[in-house]
Amino acid sequence: MTNQWIFKNLTPEQESDQKKIAEQLGVSKVLAKLLIERGIRTMEDARAFFCPDLSQLHDPFLIKDMDKAVARLNRALAHKEKILIYGDYDVDGTTAVALVYTFLQQYTSDVDFYIPDRYTEGYGVSKQGVDYAKEKGVTLIISLDCGIKAIERVAYANSLGIDFIVCDHHTTDDVLPDAVAVLDSKRADDTYPYKHLSGCGVGFKFMHAFAMSNGIEFACLEPLLDFVAVSIASDIVPITGENRVLAYYGIKRLNEMPSLGLKSIIEVCHLKGKEITINDIVFKIGPRINASGRIQSGREVVELLVSKNKRFAREKSSDINSYNDERRDIDKKTTQEAKSAVTDEMVRTRRSLVVYNPEWHKGIVGIVASRLTEEYYKPTVVLTKANGIVSGSARSVHGFDLYKAIDSCRDLLENFGGHTYAAGLSMKEENLAMFIEEFEKYVSANITETQLRPHIDIDAELTFKEITPRFVNTLKRFEPFGPGNPKPTFCTRRVYDHNDGSKIVGQGGEHLKLELVDGSGDSVMNGIAFRMGKYCKELKSFTPVDICYTIEENTFNGFTSTQLMIRDIKKSE
């Protein structure tokens, strides 16, 4: 499918600010444009952006109900009540549980944690989990990364004499659970300045407020920031505002002094001795943490994350690495089967895709939904069956609110939750056919033609001579990259192969290793273009092409050089 190249343009007012920022900071107009696109229009904004500081974090008591949550937790500790930390089985949930459990363990021995089984209990607060709490004599449950829709389960817990503190970051309904406190900045009545915390981030704010109320120094919380960074990257929340600060210091911690559990995962990822980035978390660390909940048990990964025993951590991380290998095999097989289930007629006539196979592994349907969305560029739902209920995951395309589409079908669903671009849902099998039609009806009525075509946002055009060491070094200060602060994408027009230096690499000749020049001078740029081997013929015939790319640093044999990561190639007009 051909990508649209969409060039970001500034308004006249923004262009005026761009000129001022460029002059005040002594940077190029291109770099100033990148700052303007990120809402940075003054020197004060630029200082806060380039120099994230923990002092920029908001007062946690600004979150609605935080005072109630802290008061109830303090009371539980004072009376030596048994506390259960309950979290989802994905990266965000397990890191959140590890964070809160690790911190509270310093102040009470009456604390336990619980991760529901993906297959027997499903997402969110389960009756089985509440029953476990009752059996263990728990009188306070703290839910993390789930619970915002657990109205019946919270009521059930209340009937058993168990209080609930809900810490969540998912979209809320009009009716909230009858908990002692509901911490979720997406509440309609919440005025907290930042609305995009991860589930682990909400847990961190809760522990920060608890520390403040008991005179505990903030420095005692800093060792937990590596958990927060892993959750922010893996849950794909915006890396802006407060999340940018938390991610910046969390990645710093991950590189310098990670917790034992995360350190052992870093080692099995072969990242030891390398500078860990957001991409490393998204593609290496996060998938291994997730694999435990997908293949075996989310509890197992929390045991690793909170471990203080080196031998146990080494063995458990090896197990989790093997789960990830198993997950990859299942993922590959299921993706092939799911693609086979997508007919030509579905692709031609429908604006959404829903595929179902009761035999598919529930733990990897979210990954498969992502693969199909990339392939066909339509909002996609992948469903399987477990315990008599059809359930699965949905993924969206850029600009389309998937959560609203699923919400429009709520009468057909047993449960659902999520975000704009990713959601989970379950239903009775007899409602599946109607769901497919109602979901398609909503998508067809609300999605635009532009949203159905993949696109690449391009920040600016560059010539190769503008890619100086100073430019690259300043660009690095924009990190950490992620949603809300994407890695800048540039375009250079009419580039040519240099001295026949470009060549096909990889098995089957899929990829291109490039040596390019443009018309701006003698600057030669190296690049890598994955799955673009088909363009070798044009380059070898000295046909000019336009490229769009991100700028990377490539280290090989101890030598670091600048490299272009090619995102797309088009013949020059």
Side-chain angles (χ1 to χ4, degrees):
M1 196 173 288
T2 305
N3 291 308
Q4 305 173 75
W5 290 14
I6 298 178
F7 290 82
K8 298 179 183 177
N9 296 313
L10 301 181
T11 65
E13 183 184 1
Q14 288 176 322
E15 286 178 351
S16 175
D17 290 335
Q18 175 193 21
K19 186 177 179 183
K20 290 176 191 172
I21 284 280
E23 290 172 354
Q24 290 172 345
L25 292 179
V27 298
S28 69
K29 286 184 69 178
V30 169
L31 290 167
K33 181 174 186 281
L34 297 179
L35 291 171
I36 296 297
E37 287 171 354
R38 285 153 178 77
I40 297 157
R41 306 180 75 164
T42 66
M43 280 292 288
E44 187 179 70
D45 292 340
R47 271 193 293 270
F49 181 78
F50 284 129
C51 304
D53 194 275
L54 291 167
S55 65
Q56 296 165 3
L57 298 178
H58 302 300
D59 181 346
F61 282 99
L62 294 176
I63 296 177
K64 182 80 173 176
D65 278 4
M66 185 63 83
D67 54 340
K68 297 176 184 177
V70 170
R72 181 65 185 90
L73 177 56
N74 280 334
R75 193 170 92 228
L77 293 175
H79 291 88
K80 300 189 184 306
E81 295 180 52
K82 291 187 183 297
I83 302 168
L84 185 68
I85 314 301
Y86 188 113
D88 188 25
Y89 38 66
D90 70 0
V91 180
D92 196 12
T94 52
T95 53
V97 169
L99 184 152
V100 174
Y101 178 79
T102 298
F103 194 65
L104 290 184
Q105 256 198 325
Q106 301 171 83
Y107 308 103
T108 178
S109 59
D110 293 316
V111 61
D112 191 8
F113 64 85
Y114 188 93
I115 306 292
D117 184 273
R118 182 188 289 265
Y119 304 102
T120 61
E121 297 172 76
Y123 169 78
V125 179
S126 68
K127 182 177 183 295
Q128 188 174 324
V130 176
D131 287 340
Y132 173 88
K134 180 64 177 176
E135 180 187 324
K136 296 295 183 181
V138 168
T139 51
L140 175 63
I141 297 176
I142 299 171
S143 72
L144 295 155
D145 192 36
C146 61
I148 199 65
K149 294 193 173 186
I151 293 170
E152 291 179 8
R153 296 291 181 254
V154 171
Y156 177 60
N158 290 343
S159 74
L160 299 177
I162 301 171
D163 285 341
F164 243 95
I165 295 173
V166 172
C167 304
D168 207 342
H169 70 129
H170 294 99
T171 305
T172 68
D173 282 338
D174 293 336
V175 179
L176 298 176
D178 185 21
V180 171
V182 177
L183 308 181
D184 188 332
S185 62
K186 290 189 175 73
R187 285 177 58 164
D189 58 350
D190 193 296
T191 57
Y192 190 66
Y194 191 71
K195 300 293 184 183
H196 306 295
L197 293 168
S198 65
C200 186
V202 177
F204 181 81
K205 299 301 289 190
F206 184 17
M207 292 302 95
H208 185 194
F210 166 75
M212 289 173 66
S213 77
N214 288 280
I216 301 167
E217 292 186 2
F218 185 84
C220 296
L221 291 157
E222 290 183 28
L224 305 170
L225 287 170
D226 52 2
F227 291 136
V228 185
V230 170
S231 81
I232 287 170
S234 300
D235 217 53
I236 322 199
V237 292
I239 303 185
T240 57
E242 204 163 33
N243 278 346
R244 178 174 169 78
V245 177
L246 292 167
Y248 178 87
Y249 283 93
I251 290 172
K252 193 171 187 293
R253 189 92 196 174
L254 210 54
N255 278 292
E256 296 174 0
M257 202 183 300
S259 63
L260 179 62
L262 285 173
K263 183 180 179 182
S264 66
I265 296 174
I266 288 167
E267 289 172 357
V268 298
C269 292
H270 305 294
L271 292 172
K272 186 178 179 181
K274 298 179 181 179
E275 184 181 353
I276 295 167
T277 65
I278 288 285
N279 269 2
D280 291 322
I281 299 172
V282 172
F283 295 109
K284 295 180 180 179
I285 297 172
R288 282 167 173 81
I289 294 174
N290 255 335
S292 188
R294 295 183 194 281
I295 302 298
Q296 192 67 26
S297 162
R299 182 176 180 88
E300 205 170 340
V301 82
V302 177
E303 289 171 351
L304 167 61
L305 293 176
V306 303
S307 175
K308 301 291 187 290
N309 183 297
K310 288 184 180 180
R311 182 177 177 181
F312 175 84
R314 189 165 55 247
E315 291 173 354
K316 194 59 67 177
S317 59
S318 177
D319 290 343
I320 284 170
N321 196 46
S322 68
Y323 300 154
N324 192 51
D325 291 339
E326 185 180 346
R327 186 272 306 167
R328 282 178 179 152
D329 292 340
I330 298 170
D331 165 17
K332 185 176 180 181
K333 179 176 181 290
T334 307
T335 299
Q336 290 171 345
E337 291 175 356
K339 284 182 179 179
S340 298
V342 177
T343 65
D344 291 340
E345 184 183 1
M346 288 166 68
V347 173
R348 190 175 64 255
T349 62
R350 289 184 170 266
R351 296 194 160 200
S352 68
L353 295 176
V354 181
V355 291
Y356 168 61
N357 185 324
E359 302 302 318
W360 285 337
H361 196 290
K362 188 179 177 183
I364 51 83
V365 291
I367 300 170
V368 176
S370 295
R371 299 265 194 273
L372 295 188
T373 304
E374 290 170 11
E375 177 83 13
Y376 301 106
Y377 217 74
K378 299 172 187 283
T380 299
V381 183
V382 178
L383 299 165
T384 186
K385 190 176 182 180
N387 302 315
I389 291 290
V390 172
S391 63
S393 294
R395 298 293 183 267
S396 193
V397 296
H398 184 77
F400 182 75
D401 193 329
L402 179 74
Y403 183 88
K404 285 184 179 177
I406 293 173
D407 184 52
S408 73
C409 307
R410 64 163 54 226
D411 291 347
L412 300 169
L413 303 176
E414 295 298 296
N415 195 14
F416 73 99
H419 309 285
T420 301
Y421 294 113
L425 65 162
S426 62
M427 70 192 80
K428 293 176 180 174
E429 192 165 19
E430 57 261 35
N431 289 337
L432 177 58
M434 182 64 74
F435 170 79
I436 292 172
E437 294 310 313
E438 289 300 312
F439 184 71
E440 168 66 18
K441 185 178 177 181
Y442 181 92
V443 173
S444 293
N446 290 279
I447 202 165
T448 66
E449 291 296 333
T450 301
Q451 289 168 344
L452 287 166
R453 283 188 60 198
H455 74 277
I456 298 174
D457 287 323
I458 297 176
D459 294 276
E461 287 191 37
L462 284 180
T463 59
F464 285 169
K465 69 180 181 182
E466 291 178 274
I467 307 175
T468 63
R470 186 183 178 205
F471 181 90
V472 175
N473 287 335
T474 305
L475 208 56
K476 281 192 72 177
R477 296 187 65 192
F478 280 71
E479 297 178 3
F481 295 120
N485 181 36
K487 181 170 284 189
T489 296
F490 303 105
C491 167
T492 300
R493 298 194 185 276
R494 301 188 69 79
V495 303
Y496 298 83
D497 181 38
H498 177 253
N499 288 342
D500 204 30
S502 298
K503 59 185 178 181
I504 287 176
V505 294
Q507 291 183 342
E510 279 189 291
H511 315 309
L512 271 179
K513 192 173 186 303
L514 300 167
E515 197 172 300
L516 302 170
V517 290
D518 67 354
S520 68
D522 299 325
S523 300
V524 179
M525 294 301 303
N526 294 318
I528 186 75
F530 292 113
R531 295 181 295 279
M532 297 185 202
K534 64 182 179 181
Y535 292 103
C536 191
K537 186 178 178 181
E538 280 86 0
L539 286 165
K540 292 303 181 184
S541 66
F542 294 98
T543 302
V545 296
D546 299 345
I547 57 172
C548 69
Y549 54 88
T550 58
I551 297 174
E552 315 287 339
E553 283 190 335
N554 181 41
T555 301
F556 184 71
N557 286 340
F559 177 72
T560 300
S561 61
T562 298
Q563 176 178 266
L564 308 183
M565 183 66 71
I566 310 299
R567 295 189 61 190
D568 202 8
I569 299 175
K570 291 185 177 181
K571 287 184 181 180
S572 299
E573 293 182 0

